[in-house]
Amino acid sequence: MEGQLLSSGGTAIEAHRISKAYESYARPSDRLKRSIRGVARRFAARASAAGDNAANADSTTFSALADVTFSVAVGETVGIIGRNGSGKSTLLQIVCGTLAPTSGSISVQGKVAALLELGSGFDVQFTGRENVYLNAQLYGLSRQQIDERYDSIVEFAEIGEFIDQPVKTYSSGMFVRLAFAVIAHVDADILVIDEALAVGDAFFNQKCFRFLHEFKKRGTILFVSHDTSSIRKLCSKAIWLDHGKVVAQGDPDDVCTAYLETYYSAGTPASGGSTSGLAPRRGASRDVRRDLINGSSLRNDIEILPFSPDSQSFGSGGARIADVAILDSARRRLDWVVGGESVILQVSVAIGEALASPIIGFYIKNDRGQDLFGANTFGTFADNPVRCEQNDVLRAEFSFVMPVLPIGDFTINVAVAEGTQYSHVQLHWIHDAVPLRVHASRVRYELIGVAMTQVEVAKA
């Protein structure tokens, strides 16, 4: 089936104007009246009396999905993003056939394997071994096929002796390990992955993503995540759901950027991850290998491209980011920097209206859209905010050791907000305000490298 489906091309999933609604009743008797009315409609001769009584049923309708239309081509990887309650899980259940839409149509071509809500498809009284056979048989594998793949499934899951324990004793992470291991071995044409991967540990998540990258070469993936960097990294298309409706779909970078603009504009945490109220430590650490490394071809040469004030941005106004620069310790503007050296990131903001508690922050991200590190001013100045009047210029400086970055392109996102870390208004956010281009590096597999203050080796 898999080879035939892939070779034929075409569409793996086609959804046309899917809607899903649920009735909610004020009293149990109202549900009974509605049921009576349904029976009455099927027996027209008795409909008059029963229908009149049921018409008074007190119910409300909740719409989980409304007119959702999209298609997924064979071999495509599509990410679905949206806040909690936006309808993502409902949509996946309809794709998998565990829910039926109230209206609209859905067509799915090929065998679907799904990792949906935690523990779905498992019998908690059974052992892990028994659940492997139960789940794999539900996906159409014969007993002989499961026997042949059992050792590989157990090896993938990495739950050791717990495979022969009832799954009711499993942690949430062990549930995910076993469930993912099964769907990875059932010869599916389409993988449907909900947010269950979020409960797994980092190492197993990396293992899952390596598998998904390999599966992309031969199958179709529908992937739900709150992590926009994962959507950008894995998917060729993204769909943004909000209150059951499709807000946008298309290129993952464009859709994720639009989603984050709305997300951050609605008062979610300000840019930069620091919430500590501690003042920054004075004094710089130094990589003990710096002189040796910088005298070799492994020196991390990072080109700093000019600040781009016209890059894509959003915000309510009231302040404008006027300049962003990377400086040395003498506050000289840099065009190049070496990873592992101390730098100052300086952000200048033109104030357009009086501000009681401005926050300035930044993120540095890679070309996959992953946020590598960042900071903001809130933690340091929460108890003593710098108040600003109209036409003031506010300047923030962040001193840190530039991490060693792998070869490639990076950007700095910069933002200014008004309020607190968890309740604020975004005044101006610039995507890709300062591009960075790394020309040489000793880092090959890590996202970033950090300075080593001491390295020792000795025989025991």
Side-chain angles (χ1 to χ4, degrees):
M1 171 70 76
E2 179 181 316
Q4 180 182 357
L5 179 64
L6 287 175
S7 63
S8 63
T11 302
I13 304 170
E14 184 77 44
H16 179 67
R17 302 197 67 180
I18 288 179
S19 295
K20 182 64 178 179
Y22 297 93
E23 296 287 342
S24 177
Y25 300 90
R27 298 176 298 275
S29 60
D30 292 328
R31 184 183 296 274
L32 177 61
K33 291 177 183 178
R34 180 58 60 89
S35 299
I36 292 173
R37 186 169 66 180
V39 173
R41 285 173 176 168
R42 292 194 296 270
F43 295 92
R46 305 175 186 175
S48 179
D52 290 342
N53 290 335
N56 296 321
D58 185 6
S59 68
T60 57
T61 301
F62 167 70
S63 179
L65 294 173
D67 288 330
V68 173
T69 297
F70 68 95
S71 65
V72 180
V74 170
E76 193 172 29
T77 299
V78 175
I80 302 177
I81 57 175
R83 296 191 179 200
N84 290 333
S86 61
K88 304 186 300 297
S89 296
T90 301
L91 178 58
L92 292 194
Q93 290 183 65
I94 290 175
V95 170
C96 294
T98 57
L99 275 182
T102 304
S103 63
S105 62
I106 179 82
S107 172
V108 180
Q109 304 296 323
K111 181 195 288 187
V112 179
L115 183 61
L116 299 178
E117 53 194 325
L118 199 59
S120 60
F122 278 13
D123 187 318
V124 296
Q125 301 300 326
F126 288 3
T127 66
R129 182 188 300 268
E130 292 167 333
N131 272 290
V132 167
Y133 279 86
L134 173 64
N135 269 258
Q137 286 176 333
L138 291 175
Y139 284 121
L141 267 63
S142 67
R143 179 82 184 195
Q144 180 180 348
Q145 287 175 314
I146 303 172
D147 288 340
E148 293 170 350
R149 304 174 195 198
Y150 178 78
D151 289 343
S152 180
I153 292 172
V154 173
E155 182 182 358
F156 193 103
E158 296 179 352
I159 59 174
E161 62 187 17
F162 284 96
I163 192 67
D164 288 312
Q165 298 297 322
V167 299
K168 65 182 179 182
T169 65
Y170 285 12
S171 66
S172 58
M174 292 167 66
F175 260 113
V176 169
R177 284 172 174 268
L178 191 58
F180 195 98
V182 172
I183 68 170
H185 289 81
V186 296
D187 297 332
D189 300 302
I190 303 170
L191 286 185
V192 176
I193 310 293
D194 204 347
E195 294 158 334
L197 282 181
V199 305
D201 63 78
F203 295 107
F204 187 73
N205 282 354
Q206 291 175 6
K207 185 176 185 176
C208 292
F209 276 106
R210 287 195 297 272
F211 170 81
L212 292 176
H213 278 289
E214 283 299 313
F215 184 84
K216 286 172 60 176
K217 300 175 183 177
R218 64 181 189 275
T220 304
I221 302 174
L222 200 58
F223 178 73
V224 165
S225 178
H226 285 294
D227 181 7
T228 56
S229 64
S230 295
I231 298 290
R232 286 181 164 116
K233 178 173 62 175
L234 183 68
C235 302
S236 55
K237 177 181 176 182
I239 299 172
W240 171 15
L241 285 181
D242 187 51
H243 292 89
K245 297 181 179 180
V246 175
V247 179
Q249 57 181 308
D251 180 77
D253 283 334
D254 294 339
V255 174
C256 289
T257 296
Y259 168 70
L260 289 175
E261 288 181 5
T262 301
Y263 183 77
Y264 283 113
S265 296
T268 50
S271 67
S274 175
T275 58
S276 170
L278 298 176
R281 291 181 59 186
R282 300 301 179 187
S285 60
R286 189 176 190 276
D287 192 327
V288 294
R289 307 163 300 173
R290 187 173 68 179
D291 293 339
L292 176 63
I293 291 171
N294 288 354
S296 73
S297 61
L298 298 177
R299 189 178 70 179
N300 191 211
D301 291 322
I302 304 172
E303 183 181 4
I304 305 167
L305 300 177
F307 168 59
S308 179
D310 297 325
S311 290
Q312 188 176 2
S313 64
F314 68 96
S316 63
R320 177 178 56 84
I321 297 167
D323 189 33
V324 182
I326 295 180
L327 315 176
D328 63 12
S329 58
R331 285 178 170 72
R332 293 172 297 199
R333 197 180 193 104
L334 298 174
D335 295 322
W336 289 79
V337 67
V338 174
E341 302 285 351
S342 296
V343 297
I344 300 169
L345 177 65
Q346 184 185 81
V347 182
S348 300
V349 177
I351 305 300
E353 61 184 38
L355 300 176
S357 183
I359 307 169
I360 299 175
F362 76 95
Y363 279 123
I364 293 183
K365 66 178 186 179
N366 62 18
D367 57 1
R368 294 179 175 177
Q370 296 170 294
D371 295 319
L372 302 181
F373 68 97
N376 65 53
T377 58
F378 176 76
T380 306
F381 298 98
D383 297 330
N384 187 27
V386 181
R387 299 178 182 273
C388 297
E389 302 298 329
Q390 186 177 15
N391 297 325
D392 282 347
V393 174
L394 183 62
R395 183 168 290 135
E397 293 186 349
F398 303 89
S399 299
F400 57 94
V401 174
M402 175 65 76
V404 178
L405 301 175
I407 293 174
D409 293 324
F410 300 79
T411 57
I412 304 176
N413 286 8
V414 183
V416 56
E418 164 72 347
T420 68
Q421 180 83 6
Y422 297 103
S423 178
H424 61 269
V425 176
Q426 287 290 349
L427 305 178
H428 193 202
W429 177 304
I430 300 184
H431 297 283
D432 308 332
V434 176
L436 306 175
R437 182 160 297 151
V438 181
H439 294 267
S441 180
R442 69 177 186 271
V443 172
R444 295 184 60 192
Y445 304 110
E446 308 97 307
L447 292 178
I448 60 173
V450 296
M452 296 292 108
T453 57
Q454 189 169 348
V455 178
E456 294 182 352
V457 60
K459 291 184 178 181

